[in-house]
């Protein structure tokens, strides 16, 4: 069952990959695209792309259901499962937004991001984990699934915002803006870099065991699966023939995680520089041909609409359901735990976004930048708060 | 204050910018603008009208969205700072807090502590920020909702032409014989669920007005939520007590005024093992012991009223198995499984022994939670417990105890026997015996220890929950209302053979423009043009730049 579930996920990956090609084709063929409602009928390759996307979505749902049956609980309880579920919701959100606006450009940008997210999730252990007592509740699926859905819909606003920025920030824009746009694309490169490095070293079966001294002064061992640039506190390399760390981390920081981050940035930087050298263009300019025809106001509206739909869903899942469950499991609905605080921060951020838009008229470019920052906060909550801050925190 | 009478006959409150009924511009300054600022319908808002007294100034300060957003952003940034290091409330440490931050996080921890970030969310300035958001919400909403309500209620079908011309979506066209076309448009509008009103051949089609109340409803929800959260500090609303209870004990439940009692029969800790299925094998091999269940088997009692000092009579209410995620609920209380201590020493047994012959003269069993002073063994043998140190240590040569938990118990005994009527003193700790008064004949031989498990329960009563839940529900209704529906209006006016068509929506202009396009499609009625885009285009062309879009 677990194997079947894994295969379905892989099938979805392939469906999405092929769908991207057809979305690309749809944009080439279409003339007078996204203009008046009478011309806004998708061409054939757009329809094929959408069919493939829906097939991929169904296949991913299949993954989810089979894994649920196999595990005996909703598969949203570890990093791999949560990130994968998030990717399903992102496709779902895209399908909903597509049904309203019929924008194939949106698909062309959403699916690659979804692929990166699926691949990123697959870097974590795929073992089916049993649930600790705090997680044994029907509120686990209710809360996590609603929150992920909300975050996924909000993420669509990032995608539309990103397309907006790629479209409107051209070579004549202030260098600062061009720089920040490149920054976004560079960050995406770093994630791809992380995935590639992880894959390469796991194929090589790289392992280096260290003995180290933790903050309480106890000695224990630690297994690295990437060469150690950053070694743990008072490290002592036990595996022969492995790279020796260049720097030593203090005991309170988790050396292994920082090491992974460093590797991701190195790989991302190499990747980015290669792209720039080979194409001799800013990364954003590479995508420019795909977004030329789409109307900027149209993108702005997709972005805003996604926030409008995503905000209530996120509030329901990330705050309301979260509080109900915390009251049952942890005796109080709010404990100022970092994960909770970051949900609050996300919520406050989008509240500010809505007010700035409604009252201060922050439309178009400003709104697009805000959508990007919002996605940054969601990703920060997903990745850093789970992996790094919670690591410092005595989690129940 | 004097009211303003419009030429259409409607009497508007002082400070009105656009006539509530016909939309004619009443404020001269607005006349020069190409487009109208349609927010709040140009109604008379207190904050825009008065600015004399202190009250006016406070009102105007808090009713500004700029101030509101600033407050939200400041709160957001402050909240981020609070997650950099763990908060005091989430720590369980023995040493003083200030020492902890410095020892563990160095200079950074020291600064963090000194600035008070270790208890950020309980600090007065954080609470003040949240309170200010609350005040801002109330004032902001009051400032807008009443005038907005009046303006939308008083609006007329026939609008002033200047009003229509200054709408963002607008067009005009000379047409004769419009009757058929207008009928088609009317029909399409109705089909799209517009509420169509007609007056002298002019139309007003409106849809989703109720969505305009969404923000105010969600703000009311937030306010109720905040009030609920504040009520926690009012007496009687909130109980939060810890109850450590040993297996086999019956104790009064703290926070209930001794009205309820609870017996802890057993504490259970279960780990996952092979019997839980093949699927978990990998994960369990990786991680080792994963806890499956924490559980306390208890019985709940209600106590009859009793005189002080008298043992109360207990009536059994129910047996229950408290687990994580399954609290015991009764009356207004809930009892949660929140912690445990395993295998704590409860009783220790010693034998009074003759050191030389090894002969014993009976056992004493000391109940560590309630040690007795004298233990009579009969035949003239008895043992006196002179002192007891639950967590024994020697400081400056003096015996003392580190804590009250029986981690390393030690005892001073006086052994009285027929041949030593004065008694011999022996000091017995785990693994060591000290004889402070010289060599003894007898000793206390350690025989056995009984351990017991403790359940750590949390007793909670929170009467603010229904208020908080109400606030949450109202908030959600409000946001859904304002986010999933939009307020759209289309005006059609016929004036001297010219048709004026204007549209206004509170959000999603692109979709709205497309909607009007489909509504007038194929008729002689013109498609309205987005005048902001026109303006932009003109500006661009004026600069010689290329056009957008
Ligand atoms: C965390 C606190 C807050 C939340 C979650 C919140 C939520 C919202 C939401 C969801 C909307 C509707 C936005 C839209 O439909 O695009 C809204 C509108 C609005 N909010 Fe807030 N709000 C908060 C605080 C405030 C504060 C402090 C103020 C006061 C300055 C304020 C003033 C307004 C105004 C004026 C509107 C627009 C009403 C309209 O134009 O009809 N809000 N709020």
């Amino acid at each position: 069952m677990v194997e079947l579930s894994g295969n379905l996920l892989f099938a979805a990956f392939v469906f999405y990959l092929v769908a991207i090609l057809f979305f690309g084709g749809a944009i080439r063929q279409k003339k007078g695209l996204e203009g008046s409602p009478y011309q806004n009928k998708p061409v054939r390759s757009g329809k094929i792309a959408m069919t493939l996307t829906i097939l991929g979505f169904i296949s991913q749902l299949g993954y989810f259901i089979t894994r649920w049956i196999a595990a005996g609980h909703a598969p949203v309880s570890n990093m791999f499962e949560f990130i994968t579920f998030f990717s399903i919701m992102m496709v779902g959100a895209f399908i909903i937004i597509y049904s309203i606006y019929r924008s194939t450009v949106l698909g062309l940008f959403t699916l690659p991001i979804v692929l990166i997210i699926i691949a990123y999730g697959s870097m974590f252990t795929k073992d089916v984990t049993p649930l600790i007592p705090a997680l044994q509740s029907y509120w686990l699926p209710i809360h996590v699934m609603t929150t992920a859905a909300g975050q996924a819909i909000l993420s669509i606003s990032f995608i539309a915002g990103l397309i907006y920025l790629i479209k409107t920030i051209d070579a004549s824009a202030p260098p600062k803006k061009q720089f920040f746009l490149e920054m976004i694309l560079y960050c995406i490169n770093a994630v791809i870099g992380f995935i590639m490095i992880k894959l390469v070293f796991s194929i090589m079966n790289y392992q280096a065991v260290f003995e180290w001294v933790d903050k309480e002064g106890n000695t224990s061992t630690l297994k690295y699966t990437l060469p150690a640039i950053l070694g743990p506190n008072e490290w002592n390399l036990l595996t022969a023939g492995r790279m020796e760390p260049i720097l030593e981390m203090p005991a309170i920081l988790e050396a292994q995680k920082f090491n992974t981050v460093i590797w991701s940035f190195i790989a991302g930087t190499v990747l980015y520089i290669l792209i720039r050298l080979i194409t001799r263009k800013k990364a954003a300019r590479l995508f420019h041909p795909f977004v030329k025809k789409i109307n900027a106001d149209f993108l702005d509206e997709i972005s805003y609409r996604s926030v409008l739909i995503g905000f209530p869903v996120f509030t329901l899942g990330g705050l309301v359901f979260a509080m109900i469950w915390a009251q049952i499991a942890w005796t109080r609905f709010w404990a100022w735990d970092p994960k909770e605080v970051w949900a609050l921060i996300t919520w406050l951020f989008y509240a500010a976004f809505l007010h700035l838009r409604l009252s201060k008229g922050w439309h178009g470019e400003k709104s697009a930048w805000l959508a990007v920052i919002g996605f940054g906060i969601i990703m920060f909550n997903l990745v850093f708060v789970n992996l790094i801050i919670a690591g410092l925190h005595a989690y129940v | 204050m004097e009211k303003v009478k419009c030429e259409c006959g409607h009497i508007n409150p002082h400070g009105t910018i656009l006539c509530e009924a016909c939309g004619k511009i009443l404020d001269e300054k607005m006349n020069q603008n190409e487009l109208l600022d349609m927010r709040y319908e140009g109604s008379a808002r207190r904050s825009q009208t008065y600015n004399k007294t202190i009250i006016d100034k406070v009102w105007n300060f808090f009713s500004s969205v700029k101030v509101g957003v600033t407050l939200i952003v400041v709160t957001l940034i402050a909240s981020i700072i609070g997650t950099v290091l763990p908060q005091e409330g989430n720590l369980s440490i023995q040493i003083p807090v200030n020492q902890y931050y410095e020892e563990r996080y160095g200079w950074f921890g020291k600064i963090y502590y000194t600035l008070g970030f270790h208890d950020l969310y309980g600090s007065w300035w954080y609470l003040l920020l949240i309170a200010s958001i609350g005040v801002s919400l109330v004032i902001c909403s009051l400032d807008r909702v009443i005038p907005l309500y009046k303006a939308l209620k008083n609006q007329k079908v026939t609008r002033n032409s200047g009003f229509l011309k200054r709408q963002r979506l607008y067009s005009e066209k000379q047409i004769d014989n419009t009757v058929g076309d207008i009928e088609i448009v009317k029909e399409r509008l109705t089909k799209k669920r517009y509420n169509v009103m007609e007056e002298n051949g002019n139309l007003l089609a409106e849809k989703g007005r109720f969505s305009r109340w969404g923000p105010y409803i969600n703000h009311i929800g937030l306010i109720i939520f905040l009030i609920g959260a504040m009520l926690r500090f009012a007496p009687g609303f909130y109980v939060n007590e810890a109850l450590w209870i040993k297996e086999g004990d019956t104790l009064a439940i703290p926070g209930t005024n001794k009205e309820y009692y609870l017996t802890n029969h057993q504490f259970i800790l279960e780990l996952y093992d092979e019997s839980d299925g093949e699927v978990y094998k990998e994960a369990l091999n990786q991680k080792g012991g994963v806890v499956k269940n924490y559980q306390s088997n208890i019985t709940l009692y209600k106590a009859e009223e009793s005189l002080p000092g008298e043992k109360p009579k207990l009536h059994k209410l129910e047996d229950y198995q408290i687990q994580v995620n399954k609290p015991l609920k009764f009356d207004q209380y809930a009892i949660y499984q929140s912690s445990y201590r395993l295998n704590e020493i409860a009783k220790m047994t010693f034998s009074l022994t003759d050191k030389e012959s090894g002969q014993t003269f009976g056992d004493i069993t000391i109940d560590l939670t309630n040690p007795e002073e004298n233990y009579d063994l009969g035949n003239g043998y008895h043992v006196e417990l002179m002192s007891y140190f639950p967590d024994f240590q020697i400081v400056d040569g003096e015996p003392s105890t580190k804590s009250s938990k029986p981690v390393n118990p030690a005892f001073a005994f006086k052994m009285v026997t027929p041949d030593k009527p004065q008694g011999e003193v022996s000091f017995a700790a785990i693994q060591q015996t000290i004889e402070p008064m010289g060599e003894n004949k007898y000793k206390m031989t350690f025989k056995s220890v009984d351990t017991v498990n403790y359940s750590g329960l949390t007793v909670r009563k929170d009467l603010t929950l229904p208020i908080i839940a109400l606030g949450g529900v109202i908030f959600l209704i409000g946001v859904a209302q304002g986010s999933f529906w939009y307020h759209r209006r289309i005006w059609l006016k016929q004036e001297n053979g010219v048709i004026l068509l204007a549209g206004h929506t509170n959000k999603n202009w692109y979709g709205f423009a497309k909607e009007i396009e489909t509504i007038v499609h194929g008729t002689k009625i013109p498609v309205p043009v987005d005048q902001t885009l026109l303006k932009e285009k003109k500006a661009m062309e004026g600069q010689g730049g290329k056009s957008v879009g």
Side-chain angles (χ1 to χ4, degrees):
Chain A
M1 203 65 151
V2 177
E3 203 182 312
L4 168 66
S5 148
N7 291 341
L8 285 170
L9 185 58
F10 182 72
F13 193 89
V14 177
F15 276 126
Y16 295 151
L17 204 60
V18 182
I20 292 173
L21 300 179
F22 281 96
F23 274 126
I27 286 162
R28 298 247 160 127
Q29 284 181 22
K30 258 197 217 172
K31 299 225 160 63
L33 174 73
E34 335 275 18
S36 122
Y38 310 102
Q39 294 154 15
N40 211 5
K41 294 212 175 68
V43 290
R44 202 160 91 228
S45 76
K47 276 188 196 149
I48 296 172
M50 233 18 235
T51 312
L52 286 168
T53 307
I54 289 170
L55 284 176
F57 182 66
I58 292 170
S59 184
Q60 260 193 320
L61 285 181
Y63 143 84
F64 187 73
I65 294 166
T66 47
R67 193 171 166 101
W68 189 327
I69 295 169
H73 57 78
V76 286
S77 64
N78 59 29
M79 276 301 264
F80 162 71
E81 291 174 343
F82 183 75
I83 292 173
T84 309
F85 184 72
F86 177 74
S87 74
I88 303 179
M89 287 296 102
M90 229 172 125
V91 178
F94 162 67
I95 293 173
I96 293 174
I97 301 289
Y98 183 89
S99 73
I100 304 175
Y101 289 107
R102 313 234 161 243
S103 166
T104 43
V105 179
L106 196 63
L108 183 65
F109 282 79
T110 305
L111 288 188
I113 301 269
V114 167
L115 288 186
I116 294 173
I117 290 174
I118 296 176
Y120 176 74
S122 308
M123 297 298 118
F124 293 88
T125 169
K126 296 195 194 73
D127 294 343
V128 177
T129 36
L131 294 182
I132 57 164
L135 297 182
Q136 296 167 10
S137 167
Y138 54 84
W139 286 104
L140 169 71
I142 298 177
H143 156 65
V144 178
M145 290 164 71
T146 321
T147 308
Q151 290 177 329
I153 302 169
L154 292 171
S155 303
I156 298 294
S157 99
F158 154 73
I159 307 237
L162 182 64
I163 305 175
Y164 186 99
L165 294 176
I166 291 175
K167 181 180 170 67
T168 56
I169 295 184
D170 52 19
S172 63
K176 209 163 73 188
K177 287 185 185 172
Q178 295 189 41
F179 171 78
F180 281 119
L181 181 55
E182 288 299 299
M183 261 320 267
I184 302 169
L185 298 172
Y186 168 76
C187 287
I188 296 174
N189 268 313
V191 180
I192 300 174
F194 165 80
I195 295 165
M196 290 187 345
I197 283 287
K198 267 290 228 210
L199 274 180
V200 167
F201 282 103
S202 81
I203 290 168
M204 288 166 54
N205 214 353
Y206 186 94
Q207 281 191 0
V209 180
F210 285 90
E211 197 175 72
W212 69 294
V213 180
D214 71 13
K215 54 206 165 210
E216 268 85 37
N218 306 318
T219 308
S220 53
T221 58
L222 200 60
K223 196 170 77 188
Y224 273 58
T225 51
L226 293 177
I229 296 173
L230 302 176
N233 187 35
E234 299 179 31
W235 55 269
N236 177 20
L237 184 58
L238 300 179
T239 321
R242 296 302 191 212
M243 187 179 126
E244 296 211 341
I246 297 167
L247 268 179
E248 182 178 312
M249 296 293 278
I252 53 163
L253 298 178
E254 298 196 32
Q256 202 177 4
K257 282 168 187 167
F258 281 94
N259 189 53
T260 309
V261 172
I262 292 272
W263 267 110
S264 313
F265 280 109
I266 292 175
T269 309
V270 171
L271 197 63
Y272 180 78
I273 291 174
L274 278 179
I275 293 174
R276 293 286 301 257
L277 285 179
I278 292 169
T279 63
R280 308 203 157 267
K281 271 185 188 160
K282 288 222 167 82
R285 304 302 298 165
L286 291 179
F287 297 105
H288 200 256
F290 296 108
V291 302
K292 248 197 237 145
K293 284 183 206 144
I294 193 162
N295 180 312
D297 272 341
F298 178 59
L299 286 168
D300 183 52
E301 185 162 321
I302 294 179
S303 181
Y304 181 39
R305 190 83 181 262
S306 315
V307 176
L308 283 174
I309 301 174
F311 184 73
V313 179
F314 177 76
T315 310
L316 183 67
L319 291 165
V320 175
F321 289 161
M323 286 191 210
I324 296 175
W325 188 17
Q327 179 73 30
I328 296 169
W330 295 340
T331 81
R332 48 191 174 166
F333 61 86
W334 196 258
W336 295 107
D337 164 286
K339 191 92 215 199
E340 284 172 351
V341 176
W342 275 93
L344 176 70
I345 289 166
T346 313
W347 184 74
L348 287 175
F349 178 83
Y350 281 102
F353 176 115
L354 290 172
H355 288 94
L356 286 170
R357 211 177 147 109
L358 205 63
S359 297
K360 291 260 135 280
W362 279 29
H363 296 216
E365 194 183 313
K366 280 182 182 153
S367 169
W369 285 114
L370 287 180
V372 169
I373 297 171
F375 183 71
I377 294 177
I378 291 176
M379 285 298 119
F380 186 85
N381 200 358
L382 181 65
V383 178
F384 277 78
V385 177
N386 272 343
L387 294 181
I388 298 201
I389 297 188
L392 295 173
H393 183 80
Y395 224 71
V396 182
Chain B
M1 271 303 154
E2 85 260 39
K3 309 243 173 197
V4 192
K5 187 168 179 192
C6 176
E7 65 182 29
C8 74
H10 185 75
I11 295 169
N12 293 286
H14 175 67
T16 305
I17 299 164
L18 302 175
C19 171
E20 290 174 340
C22 73
K24 180 177 157 40
I25 302 167
L26 301 176
D27 183 338
E28 285 308 315
K29 273 175 278 166
M30 283 283 263
N31 240 330
Q32 297 143 17
N33 299 354
E34 281 178 50
L35 288 180
L36 291 180
D37 180 359
M38 282 290 288
R39 273 181 292 148
Y40 318 109
E41 308 287 307
S43 57
R45 284 163 54 199
R46 189 186 196 287
S47 63
Q48 309 300 309
T49 314
Y50 306 99
N51 192 13
K52 287 209 189 78
T53 63
I54 291 192
I55 295 177
D56 294 341
K57 299 222 152 102
V58 171
W59 181 275
N60 296 355
F61 178 77
F62 281 112
S63 72
S64 149
V65 174
K66 210 191 266 167
V67 170
V69 172
T70 310
L71 287 171
I72 292 176
V73 172
V74 172
T75 310
L76 185 160
I77 293 168
S79 307
I80 293 179
I81 296 172
T83 63
V84 175
L85 295 184
Q87 291 286 300
E88 177 188 40
N90 290 335
L91 294 171
S92 53
I93 47 169
Q94 309 296 330
I95 56 170
V97 181
N98 54 350
Q99 214 174 321
Y100 174 84
Y101 280 93
E102 188 169 354
E103 271 176 22
R104 183 138 181 179
Y105 304 105
W107 59 270
F108 183 74
K110 190 174 178 183
I111 294 176
Y112 200 81
Y113 178 83
T114 314
L115 293 178
F117 293 150
H118 64 291
D119 182 25
L120 188 130
Y121 310 114
S123 66
W124 62 268
W125 59 272
Y126 192 82
L127 296 181
L128 188 69
L129 272 176
I130 295 193
S132 313
I133 290 181
V135 172
S136 182
L137 271 172
V138 173
I139 294 184
C140 193
S141 303
L142 285 178
D143 189 57
R144 291 163 168 83
V145 71
I146 297 164
L148 178 67
Y149 175 78
K150 281 197 201 143
L152 287 177
K153 202 178 135 203
N154 288 328
Q155 62 175 335
K156 284 203 304 200
V157 174
T158 308
R159 284 290 174 131
N160 181 289
S161 301
F163 174 87
L164 295 184
K165 282 185 182 146
R166 289 184 178 78
Q167 291 301 315
R168 182 168 157 184
L169 286 181
Y170 175 75
S171 63
E172 57 179 49
K173 196 170 165 194
Q174 185 116 27
I175 342 179
D176 21 75
N177 192 10
T178 52
V179 181
D181 284 345
I182 287 184
E183 281 311 310
I184 293 174
V185 166
K186 254 168 59 185
E187 199 176 301
R188 287 183 184 161
L189 282 168
T190 319
K191 227 179 184 168
K192 287 198 182 284
R193 305 213 193 166
Y194 276 84
N195 179 14
V196 185
M197 284 160 282
E198 209 168 351
E199 185 186 82
N200 307 329
N202 303 327
L203 291 187
L204 163 60
E206 186 176 14
K207 154 162 123 174
R209 189 198 290 184
F210 84 108
S211 79
R212 291 293 284 270
W213 316 124
Y216 307 105
I217 291 175
N218 87 45
H219 289 166
I220 290 172
L222 281 177
I223 285 297
I224 294 176
F225 184 97
L226 288 178
I227 290 174
M230 264 180 340
L231 271 180
R232 160 168 309 180
F233 300 107
F237 272 93
Y238 188 68
V239 169
N240 174 26
E241 301 277 352
L243 170 60
W244 281 99
I245 182 167
K246 190 164 76 181
E247 290 176 337
D249 264 6
T250 302
L251 295 178
I253 299 175
T256 65
N257 295 324
K258 303 214 159 153
E259 212 181 312
Y260 293 96
Y261 281 70
L262 181 140
T263 304
N264 181 13
H265 301 293
Q266 195 188 5
F267 173 76
I268 298 170
L269 192 162
E270 281 174 279
L271 299 182
Y272 283 96
D273 56 32
E274 303 91 60
S275 68
D276 293 301
E278 191 67 16
V279 274
Y280 299 146
K281 219 170 109 190
E282 288 283 313
L284 292 179
N285 281 343
Q286 283 285 324
K287 283 197 192 168
V290 177
V291 176
K292 184 179 176 181
N293 185 22
Y294 300 113
Q295 175 175 329
S296 299
N297 294 346
I298 62 100
T299 303
L300 176 71
Y301 300 96
K302 191 170 168 77
E304 258 176 34
E305 288 220 19
S306 60
L307 296 168
E310 198 185 24
K311 259 207 161 172
K313 256 205 186 132
L314 301 181
H315 287 289
K316 178 171 162 179
L317 292 182
E318 63 174 315
D319 292 321
Y320 194 81
Q321 301 173 337
I322 304 180
Q323 293 174 323
V324 177
N325 272 311
K326 289 199 189 68
L328 162 69
K329 290 191 184 146
F330 60 94
D331 200 354
Q332 291 158 337
Y333 298 93
I335 298 190
Y336 297 85
Q337 176 68 53
S338 51
S339 192
Y340 64 94
R341 290 205 301 262
L342 288 185
N343 303 328
E344 200 154 278
I345 305 173
K347 288 178 182 165
M348 288 179 87
T349 306
F350 294 88
S351 306
L352 178 61
T353 320
D354 183 322
K355 275 168 127 182
E356 218 155 278
S357 67
Q359 195 188 350
T360 60
F361 305 94
D363 296 348
I364 67 166
T365 296
I366 305 165
D367 180 348
L368 296 189
T369 38
N370 221 347
E372 281 171 49
E373 260 173 46
N374 280 297
Y375 300 85
D376 192 5
L377 300 174
N379 303 328
Y381 293 88
H382 93 257
V383 178
E384 204 179 300
L385 179 57
M386 294 163 68
S387 45
Y388 162 48
F389 306 96
D391 193 358
F392 173 62
Q393 63 174 2
I394 292 185
V395 178
D396 303 330
E398 290 289 317
S400 63
T401 187
K402 259 191 267 184
S403 69
S404 58
K405 280 185 203 152
V407 178
N408 180 24
F411 309 89
F413 296 112
K414 186 187 241 176
M415 303 167 286
V416 181
T417 50
D419 54 333
K420 301 270 181 192
Q422 298 300 319
E424 289 181 327
V425 176
S426 162
F427 194 86
I430 290 175
Q431 309 269 349
Q432 74 182 57
T433 309
I434 303 166
E435 299 181 349
M437 318 295 263
E439 187 74 8
N440 290 343
K441 182 165 186 264
Y442 296 93
K443 71 167 184 179
M444 299 300 296
T445 316
F446 169 74
K447 206 171 158 200
S448 65
V449 56
D450 287 357
T451 58
V452 72
N453 299 332
Y454 277 79
S455 293
L457 304 175
T458 298
V459 182
R460 174 95 54 190
K461 173 173 107 170
D462 193 346
L463 297 185
T464 66
L465 289 181
I467 303 170
I468 285 182
L470 179 73
V473 169
I474 294 179
F475 175 80
L476 284 174
I477 293 174
V479 232
Q481 190 175 332
S483 310
F484 299 159
W485 285 272
Y486 316 109
H487 183 213
R488 298 183 160 177
R489 274 172 296 172
I490 299 169
W491 295 278
L492 197 153
K493 185 173 178 182
Q494 310 193 56
E495 198 175 49
N496 314 325
V498 178
I499 281 217
L500 316 179
L501 184 72
H504 181 264
T505 176
N506 62 340
K507 43 187 71 142
N508 294 334
W509 287 87
Y510 187 90
F512 183 50
K514 292 281 162 275
E515 185 170 76
I516 300 185
E517 218 175 307
T518 54
I519 286 169
V520 298
H521 182 64
T523 67
K524 278 180 279 176
I525 296 171
V527 177
V529 181
D530 190 331
Q531 305 202 68
T532 53
L533 293 186
L534 272 185
K535 240 169 53 183
E536 260 174 48
K537 250 193 183 137
K538 258 189 220 151
M540 292 291 259
E541 277 158 11
Q543 290 168 7
K546 53 185 176 0
S547 66
V548 276

